[in-house]
Structure formats: structure tokens, C-alpha cells
């Protein structure tokens, strides 16, 4: 019993508020002790081999910050960091290295009413540290949202950070990327949107040259997104 108490004390001091799997502990009898602690209600069994060490958690963001597993906030969820939650979304997209952790994260979130979607973290993902979280790089977030047709998210990030965005680097990042299901490059969308911001403000906010976009639907979507950002900015 003393061994179990010592194990629980060490577990709380290191992993409180976080998901943890047996293999991360590297202690004798860890699987047996976690199982006993779960039966006593001191830890929560989440998924095969994964447990949660309880701690006070205010919301999904507080949990993600306290959880110590390697993950990156991505896509529209990352955009919400960069555009001050211009569009509030209830789906949280997280990139993970460990597939089993990703599954446990989704199960844990579902039990609390949080819709967490996990994706593989690839080598091309660029990210920065924001507080205790790793968040997808601003430029990559803008381009990724454009690829996913989330134009308003992308332009909200662009405009909110207009004095921080490195325009030429952003265009280079977007050059070979295309809007999903089309032949339109993300760079064209950026140039068109940037030129609209210039026209509305009456000054050259971005070094954008208005491209010719023959797709009426895409053009209207860009115009609507820019209009919404300008109206509410």
C-alpha cells in the first residue's frame, strides 16, 4: 500500500492534468498501479493504455496547456490564436506525433463535450510556442486556411497582423499551394484579397497586385470574406 501511495504522489507531481500512458512512466508495476488507482477513482482510464491524472481544468484550452504530450494546434484552430478568435469554432484541430495519443485525446475530449480532431504531425509543419502551447506558424496557418476554403479565417489573421506579416515570404509560402478542388493557387487568393484591403483602406496595406481570377465563385467568396473582416475589424 505504501508503494502505491508513493507512486500516486510522484504521478501527481509530474503528470497532474495530463494524459499519460504506461510506457511513459518507466517504473516497475506501473500498469498494475495505474489499474488500481483507476479502480479507486484517483485516476481516469481514458483508452487502451492511457490514463488521465485529474487536476482542476477550466476549459479545453486549459487542458491542452496542462497536458504534457507533444501536440501542435493547427489549421482554423491555430488561426483563432492569430486573429483573436475572429470566428469562434467549436472543433479543435490538433496535430500529434503519437497516433495512440491522438485517439486517447479524442476520446477524452468527447467525454467532456469537446470536439477534438487529431491529424498526423508531419515534418513540414512549422510552429511556434505560445504560452504553454505549440501553435502552427502564422504564415502556414493563413495558407492552410485558404487551401481549406476558410477564407475569412485566413484574411482575419492577415489583417489583424498586417504589421507583422512578411508579405513576400507569405506569397512564397503560398506559391505552390492550391485551393482544395481547384487549380487556383493560394497566392492568387492572397493577392486578390490584399488588393481589396488596399482599395477599402485607400492606402497600400499590402504589396498586392490584383490578379485575374476567372472563377466567379472563388472571387465572390474572397470578396465576401474581406468584406466581413473589414466590417468587423
Amino acid at each position: 500500500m505504501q508503494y502505491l501511495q508513493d507512486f500516486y504522489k510522484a504521478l501527481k507531481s509530474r503528470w497532474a492534468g495530463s494524459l499519460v500512458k504506461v510506457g511513459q512512466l518507466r517504473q516497475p508495476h506501473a500498469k498494475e498501479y495505474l489499474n488500481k488507482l483507476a479502480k479507486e477513482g484517483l485516476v481516469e482510464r481514458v483508452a487502451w493504455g492511457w490514463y488521465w491524472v485529474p487536476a482542476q481544468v477550466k476549459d479545453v484550452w486549459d487542458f491542452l496547456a496542462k497536458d504534457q504530450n507533444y501536440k501542435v494546434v493547427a489549421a482554423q484552430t491555430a488561426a483563432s490564436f492569430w486573429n483573436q478568435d475572429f470566428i469562434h469554432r467549436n472543433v479543435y484541430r490538433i496535430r500529434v506525433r503519437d497516433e495512440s495519443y491522438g485517439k486517447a485525446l479524442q476520446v477524452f475530449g468527447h467525454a467532456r463535450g469537446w470536439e477534438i480532431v487529431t491529424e498526423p504531425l508531419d515534418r513540414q509543419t512549422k510552429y511556434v510556442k505560445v504560452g504553454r502551447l505549440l501553435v502552427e506558424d502564422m504564415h502556414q496557418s493563413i495558407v492552410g486556411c485558404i487551401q481549406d476554403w476558410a477564407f475569412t479565417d485566413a484574411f482575419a489573421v492577415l489583417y489583424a497582423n498586417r504589421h507583422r506579416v512578411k508579405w513576400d515570404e507569405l506569397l512564397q509560402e503560398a506559391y505552390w499551394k492550391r485551393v482544395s478542388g481547384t487549380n487556383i493557387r493560394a497566392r492568387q487568393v492572397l493577392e486578390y484579397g490584399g488588393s481589396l484591403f488596399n482599395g477599402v483602406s485607400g492606402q497600400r496595406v499590402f504589396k498586392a497586385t490584383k490578379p485575374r481570377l476567372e472563377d466567379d465563385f472563388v472571387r465572390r467568396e474572397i470578396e465576401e470574406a474581406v468584406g466581413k473582416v473589414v466590417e468587423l475589424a
Side-chain angles (χ1 to χ4, degrees), residues 111-167:
R112 286 155 178 79
W114 305 332
E115 189 172 351
I116 297 176
V117 175
T118 59
E119 307 165 355
L121 177 64
D122 58 49
R123 294 180 180 179
Q124 295 181 344
T125 301
K126 302 174 187 176
Y127 49 86
V128 296
K129 192 169 185 180
V130 179
R132 289 181 292 171
L133 290 173
L134 298 179
V135 182
E136 188 177 29
D137 171 80
M138 186 190 300
H139 288 181
Q140 196 169 77
S141 175
I142 292 171
V143 175
C145 285
I146 289 174
Q147 288 182 277
D148 288 345
W149 289 87
F151 293 163
T152 305
D153 299 73
F155 287 127
V157 175
L158 182 66
Y159 192 71
N161 298 277
R162 57 193 177 280
H163 301 303
R164 296 174 56 196
V165 166
K166 298 179 180 178
W167 183 252

